[in-house]
């Protein structure tokens, strides 16, 4: 049942996702004239998710922001840590080598954007060069095109600042031995030109055996201002290597086997992921008049990715509790993305109606060469082999003694799973009108047209296939404002996903004949901005998925499979008093799988009934700040068969920062203060992530 009653009951306690964080010297010094207020507007003079100058209060959609200052104060170092404090979203394991976000119960590895441009390669995205992280929930095809079925995550990068000079740096170390450093340096070259460089280096470590890695990031940017135009040029280099850990098996009761919490089911020489990426971005902003503005962007990304691993694929706790079956593969991806986009924002008044019209075009060209080779053991002549369980499985470089005492050797060059070369061309047009019908009523309506053309060469079968999909995706919303600081909204939006999937694996079998999966989102919500700076919002939603499939009993016909996910979200953020700031979020989710025969009674995987987060920040003096927070997630199912369960958990975090001088601040962050054993996420039945025990991170923040 759609969550309308909880929403009505919560109207007086509802929450806005506004962060209300002013742009501070920790994010972009002396930029208030340029940026307005970063926590109140998604659109400023930087390119980001909404593309129009719409206050968050007037957006008929549930969304969340986290600023660079908040990320730094809480000691976050990954996308997964950021979204843990946002409603309606959680993280999936991502097989130990990529960001994977579950937006309202829909897992995604590709609905990521950087400055509004698609960033769909599977990797861990760094945070060192960000102004803020934006999460928009619900299908978003009008602004982003294909995908975005449960939501999207957009990273807004730091840009050079004209007429200012500053340097910020951070050095950190934690109790696991992980060491990191970042620097942010800005300088004005002339009255109209500035240069900024952000860089980071990390030597990775954690609580798990064999885990190690390193990550480097380098992002110089240039801003040129001339009259009514601004140009931002950027290059980013990312070099990342880390050990892949896919967690531990579940047992007879379907839960992670806690007795195996210290065992790493992998090979220290084999389990690794490596990424090298070169990202080029250019953006032009031109103001023709007070009511007409152009934004044009170009993006080119060149990615070279490898990951290879062994992982637990089978475990029988009752029949063979001392043995585990390992599977694995090596996977490589070489991808090049070229994206060109432009939009015009026109503000006009026709009669008594104000209009903000967004119209745009986007062109995407993707070339991807990807392959996967399965493990192949000489002892079994297939991809699975059984080993005795111990803290050290005794496998090195793909060679080890199996459970029968026989030396087993793996060869990644024998069993090819797939090898495809993909060319994709996407052309999109969109238009949206935000109409101010009166002081109290606003209406948003828009359409997007996408032409998605894919050509796939299956190297294994030497088979070439192609498919072209043309989809129109609508978006509608109405906002009622009984007073300036309150809004009540309702919205409807759609999105689609071609049958080649998020990562364009193939269109083999009947996939080249099937129409895309389609998704729709209905949402009602309430937002309230208090004069004190505290803001509340609530939203209730329903997502429906329609997926055409070949009928089991008649291949000449199609069945349409539907599934539903319903939910309710509430969030409060802002200043309670002069010394106390709070960020709290709660979400309730419910869903059921629907197949050809009807409802199955099964719950979709990775869909916790409830999630709750709370962060309190206290400014005890002008120099001393203390923070304490917690995240709670109820149990959820690891797989769609509901045979494996991820237990519920509550984790407590804390922080203390003290300003030694105007230039130096000491910061201490504590993760998992109560040292709880917990399992934050999983990928499949026998791959449950073991959460980190108590970890202390000390950082020195310097500003010049």
């Amino acid at each position: 049942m759609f969550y309308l009653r909880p929403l009505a009951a919560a109207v007086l306690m509802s929450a806005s996702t506004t962060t209300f964080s002013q742009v501070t010297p920790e994010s972009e010094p002396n930029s208030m004239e340029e940026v307005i207020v970063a926590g109140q507007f998604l659109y400023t003079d930087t390119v980001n998710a909404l593309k129009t100058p719409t206050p968050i209060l007037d957006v008929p959609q549930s969304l969340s922001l986290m600023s660079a200052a908040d990320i730094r104060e809480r000691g976050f170092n990954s996308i997964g840590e950021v979204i843990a404090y946002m409603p309606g979203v959680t993280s999936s394991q991502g097989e130990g080598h990529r960001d994977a976000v579950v937006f309202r119960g829909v897992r995604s590895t590709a609905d990521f954007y950087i400055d509004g441009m698609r960033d769909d390669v599977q990797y861990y995205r760094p945070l060192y060069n960000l102004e803020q992280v934006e999460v928009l929930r619900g299908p978003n095809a009008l602004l982003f095109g294909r995908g975005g079925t449960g939501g999207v995550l957009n990273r807004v990068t730091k840009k050079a600042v004209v007429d200012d000079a500053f340097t910020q740096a951070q050095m950190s170390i934690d109790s696991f031995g992980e060491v990191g450093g970042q620097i942010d340096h800005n300088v004005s070259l002339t009255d109209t030109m500035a240069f900024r460089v952000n860089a980071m280096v990390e030597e990775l470590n954690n609580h798990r055996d064999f885990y190690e890695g390193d990550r480097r990031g380098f992002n110089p940017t240039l801003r040129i201002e001339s009259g009514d135009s601004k140009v931002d040029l950027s290059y980013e280099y990312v070099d990342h290597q880390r050990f892949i850990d896919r967690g531990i098996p579940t047992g007879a009761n379907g839960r992670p086997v806690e007795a195996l919490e210290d065992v790493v089911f992998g090979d220290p020489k084999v389990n690794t992921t490596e990424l090298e990426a070169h990202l080029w971005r250019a953006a032009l902003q031109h103001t023709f008049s007070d009511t007409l503005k152009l934004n044009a962007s170009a993006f080119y990304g060149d990615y070279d990715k490898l990951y290879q691993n062994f992982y637990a694929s089978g475990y029988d706790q009752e029949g063979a509790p001392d043995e585990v079956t390992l599977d694995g593969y090596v996977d490589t991806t070489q991808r090049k993305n070229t994206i060109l986009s432009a939009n015009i924002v026109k503000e006009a008044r026709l009669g008594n109606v104000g209009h903000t019209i967004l119209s745009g075009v986007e062109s995407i060209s993707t070339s991807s060469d990807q392959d996967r080779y399965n493990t192949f053991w000489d002892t079994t002549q297939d991809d699975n082999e059984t080993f005795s369980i111990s803290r050290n499985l005794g496998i090195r470089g793909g060679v080890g003694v199996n459970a029968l005492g026989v030396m087993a050797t793996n060869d990644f060059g024998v069993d090819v799973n797939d090898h495809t070369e993909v060319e994709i061309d996407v052309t999109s047009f969109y238009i949206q009108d935000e109409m101010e019908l009166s002081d109290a009523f606003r209406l948003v309506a828009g359409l997007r047209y996408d032409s998605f053309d894919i050509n796939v060469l299956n190297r294994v079968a030497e088979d070439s296939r192609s498919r072209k999909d043309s989809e129109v995706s609508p978006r509608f919303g109405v906002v009622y404002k009984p007073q300036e600081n309150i809004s009540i909204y309702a919205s409807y939006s759609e999105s689609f996903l071609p049958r080649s999937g998020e990562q364009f694996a193939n269109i083999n079998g009947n996939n080249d004949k099937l129409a895309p999966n389609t998704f729709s989102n209905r949402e009602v919500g309430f937002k309230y901005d208090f004069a004190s700076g505290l803001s509340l919002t609530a939203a209730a939603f329903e997502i429906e998925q329609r997926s055409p499939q070949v009928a089991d009993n008649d291949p000449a016909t199609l069945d349409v499979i539907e599934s539903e996910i319903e939910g309710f979200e509430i969030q409060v953020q802002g200043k309670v008093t002069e010394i106390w700031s709070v960020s709290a979020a709660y979400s309730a989710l419910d869903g059921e799988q629907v197949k050809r025969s009807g409802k199955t009674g099964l719950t979709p995987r990775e869909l916790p009934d409830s999630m709750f987060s709370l962060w309190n920040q206290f400014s005890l003096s002008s120099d001393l700040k203390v923070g304490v927070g917690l995240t709670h997630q109820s149990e959820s199912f690891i797989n769609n068969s509901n045979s494996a369960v991820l237990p519920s958990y509550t984790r407590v975090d804390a922080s203390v920062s003290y300003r030694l001088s105007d230039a130096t601040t000491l910061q201490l962050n504590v993760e998992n203060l109560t040292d709880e054993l917990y399992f934050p996420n999983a990928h499949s039945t026998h791959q449950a992530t073991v959460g980190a025990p108590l970890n202390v991170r000390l950082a020195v923040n310097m500003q010049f």
Side-chain angles (χ1 to χ4, degrees):
M1 181 177 179
F2 192 43
Y3 285 81
L4 292 177
R5 290 183 180 176
L7 176 62
V11 161
L12 295 180
M13 328 172 34
S14 325
S16 169
T17 48
T18 311
T19 62
F20 280 91
S21 298
Q22 298 283 341
V23 177
T24 68
E26 291 185 350
S27 55
E28 189 163 304
N30 301 330
S31 56
M32 290 302 297
E33 291 183 2
E34 175 189 345
V35 176
I36 311 175
V37 180
Q40 294 178 357
F41 286 80
L42 275 177
Y43 177 92
T44 60
D45 282 337
T46 60
V47 178
N48 52 23
L50 280 185
K51 299 182 171 67
T52 59
T54 306
I56 290 176
L57 191 69
D58 297 343
V59 178
Q61 183 174 4
S62 180
L63 52 92
S64 295
L65 307 181
M66 187 169 289
S67 69
D70 289 335
I71 291 171
R72 175 173 291 189
E73 285 182 353
R74 301 184 197 183
F76 293 157
N77 197 34
S78 69
I79 292 295
E81 292 173 318
V82 171
I83 63 174
Y85 280 87
M86 293 181 175
V89 291
T90 186
S91 62
S92 186
Q93 184 192 86
E95 299 177 283
H97 69 91
R98 66 193 178 201
D99 290 318
V101 178
V102 184
F103 298 96
R104 290 180 168 177
V106 181
R107 181 199 286 183
S108 176
T109 66
D111 292 320
F112 297 93
Y113 294 79
I114 184 165
D115 290 335
M117 312 289 273
R118 184 175 292 272
D119 179 33
D120 57 15
V121 174
Q122 297 179 338
Y123 70 107
Y124 286 113
R125 290 153 179 85
L127 308 178
Y128 72 102
N129 61 340
L130 300 189
E131 189 63 59
Q132 65 185 18
V133 174
E134 306 168 346
V135 172
L136 282 72
R137 290 177 286 274
N140 286 279
L142 188 140
L143 296 176
F144 298 100
R146 70 184 188 277
T149 52
V152 300
L153 187 150
N154 182 53
R155 294 178 295 147
V156 180
T157 62
K158 296 177 179 178
K159 311 298 190 298
V161 184
V162 175
D163 293 331
D164 202 357
F166 57 88
T167 301
Q168 300 167 25
Q170 181 186 84
M171 298 179 63
S172 65
I173 186 170
D174 70 16
S175 51
F176 298 135
E178 182 165 296
V179 179
Q182 300 180 15
I183 189 167
D184 179 2
H185 176 67
N186 185 90
V187 60
S188 285
L189 303 177
T190 68
D191 292 341
T192 61
M193 186 181 301
F195 175 78
R196 187 173 187 174
V197 60
N198 280 268
M200 66 96 172
V201 58
E202 295 174 341
E203 299 299 321
L204 304 175
N205 210 332
N206 72 7
H207 59 296
R208 302 281 284 162
D209 289 348
F210 313 136
Y211 186 88
E212 62 178 1
D214 58 75
R215 184 159 62 166
R216 310 284 188 269
F218 177 65
N219 182 202
T221 65
L222 180 70
R223 166 161 285 190
I224 304 170
E225 298 183 356
S226 177
D228 295 321
S229 297
K230 296 179 182 178
V231 175
D232 289 297
L233 304 176
S234 170
Y235 164 73
E236 183 176 7
Y237 173 73
V238 179
D239 185 1
H240 184 193
Q241 182 276 328
R242 74 168 67 190
F243 177 82
I244 290 180
D245 175 17
R246 294 181 62 169
I248 65 174
T250 57
N253 62 358
R255 295 173 178 266
V257 183
E258 294 187 5
L260 303 178
E261 64 171 295
D262 293 325
V263 180
V264 175
F265 294 89
D267 183 331
K269 300 295 184 182
V270 169
N271 283 46
T272 185
T273 179
E274 300 172 5
L275 169 79
E276 185 174 37
H278 302 269
L279 311 176
W280 301 84
R281 297 185 293 274
L284 166 66
Q285 301 167 58
H286 180 74
T287 301
F288 295 99
S289 67
D290 291 341
T291 60
L292 183 62
K293 185 173 185 178
L294 166 71
N295 292 300
S297 300
F299 172 84
Y300 175 76
D302 187 341
Y303 308 84
D304 192 350
K305 170 81 183 291
L306 172 144
Y307 65 97
Q308 59 183 24
N309 62 127
F310 297 142
Y311 59 90
S313 60
Y315 178 67
D316 183 358
Q317 189 177 25
E318 295 181 338
D322 298 324
E323 297 179 358
V324 65
T325 300
L326 296 187
D327 200 346
Y329 52 83
V330 57
D331 189 304
T332 67
T333 299
Q334 294 82 43
R335 184 170 300 168
K336 295 179 174 61
N337 284 343
T338 302
I339 305 173
L340 303 175
S341 68
N343 65 74
I344 290 178
V345 179
K346 172 64 177 177
E347 296 180 79
R349 192 157 198 92
L350 301 178
N352 294 323
V353 178
H355 297 265
T356 300
I357 300 172
L358 169 71
S359 58
V361 59
E362 183 176 65
S363 173
I364 301 177
S365 177
T366 296
S367 175
S368 190
D369 187 341
Q370 50 218 19
D371 60 48
R372 173 171 294 187
Y373 283 80
N374 300 320
T375 49
F376 187 83
W377 298 97
D378 60 351
T379 46
T380 61
Q381 294 293 292
D382 69 11
D383 59 337
N384 286 275
E385 179 56 286
T386 302
F387 294 88
S388 298
I389 296 176
S390 64
R391 179 77 178 256
N392 185 339
L393 294 179
I395 308 173
R396 292 293 185 278
V399 179
V401 177
N402 68 13
L404 299 176
V406 178
M407 188 66 71
T409 301
N410 168 63
D411 186 349
F412 274 130
V414 175
D415 183 12
V416 58
N417 186 80
D418 58 71
H419 181 188
T420 56
E421 296 177 5
V422 181
E423 299 290 336
I424 297 172
D425 291 295
V426 183
T427 303
S428 307
F429 303 93
Y430 55 90
I431 186 167
Q432 175 183 274
D433 190 1
E434 298 178 20
M435 291 165 274
E436 185 177 353
L437 305 179
S438 67
D439 290 341
F441 281 98
R442 287 164 174 78
L443 181 67
V444 178
L447 293 171
R448 181 183 181 112
Y449 168 81
D450 287 287
S451 174
F452 182 88
D453 192 352
I454 182 170
N455 294 277
V456 179
L457 172 59
N458 183 341
R459 281 295 186 187
V460 178
E462 288 300 323
D463 178 30
S464 295
R465 297 195 179 197
S466 62
R467 178 177 174 88
K468 186 171 185 177
D469 291 300
S470 298
E471 294 289 325
V472 175
S473 304
R475 180 193 187 200
F476 303 102
V478 59
V479 179
Y480 170 62
K481 301 186 68 174
Q483 58 189 57
E484 186 61 30
N485 61 334
I486 296 177
S487 67
I488 302 169
Y489 71 87
S491 66
Y492 174 83
S493 58
E494 293 182 2
S495 187
F496 72 98
L497 184 65
R499 299 316 291 252
S500 52
E502 292 181 339
Q503 299 297 329
F504 336 119
N506 62 64
I507 47 176
N508 296 332
N510 292 296
N511 284 338
D512 65 335
K513 302 180 180 64
L514 299 179
N517 292 347
T518 57
F519 302 81
S520 63
N521 180 71
R522 288 180 289 274
E523 182 174 323
V524 295
F526 172 83
K527 300 180 182 182
Y528 189 172
D529 287 351
F530 292 93
S532 64
L534 193 66
S535 186
L536 304 174
T537 195
F541 63 88
E542 181 181 57
I543 296 176
E544 290 186 354
Q545 175 182 355
R546 294 173 57 86
S547 177
Q549 304 284 344
V550 175
D552 292 332
N553 57 356
D554 184 2
T557 63
L558 294 178
D559 287 337
V560 176
I561 301 174
E562 297 185 356
S563 61
E564 295 180 358
I565 296 175
E566 302 171 347
F568 170 69
E569 300 165 355
I570 185 170
Q571 185 168 342
V572 55
Q573 286 189 325
K575 294 188 67 173
V576 182
T577 68
E578 286 300 316
I579 66 169
W580 177 25
S581 298
V582 68
S583 172
Y586 171 79
S587 57
L589 300 168
D590 186 24
E592 188 168 10
Q593 301 175 37
V594 182
K595 295 189 175 180
R596 299 181 182 91
S597 57
K599 294 185 176 181
T600 64
L602 299 175
T603 300
R605 65 181 180 180
E606 301 177 300
L607 191 72
D609 290 339
S610 62
M611 294 183 289
F612 175 73
S613 66
L614 172 67
W615 184 266
N616 294 282
Q617 186 82 22
F618 301 95
S619 299
L620 302 183
S621 71
S622 59
D623 297 324
L624 179 63
K625 293 182 180 180
V626 176
V628 61
L630 64 83
T631 59
H632 170 80
Q633 184 171 298
S634 66
E635 72 175 31
S636 59
F637 292 108
I638 295 175
N639 52 24
N640 281 325
S641 64
N642 293 180
S643 63
V645 175
L646 205 62
S648 64
Y649 72 88
T650 301
R651 193 189 78 194
V652 179
D653 303 326
S655 72
V656 178
S657 67
Y658 183 75
R659 188 174 63 176
L660 298 176
S661 67
D662 290 342
T664 305
T665 300
L666 288 180
Q667 180 176 324
L668 190 72
N669 292 91
V670 183
E671 178 184 329
N672 196 1
L673 185 64
T674 60
D675 201 27
E676 178 180 357
L677 173 62
Y678 72 105
F679 305 93
N681 50 43
H683 179 71
S684 61
T685 303
H686 297 302
Q687 295 147 51
T689 302
V690 181
L694 186 149
N695 181 30
V696 179
R697 178 178 182 265
L698 177 65
V700 180
N701 299 316
M702 294 162 284
Q703 184 169 301
F704 310 102

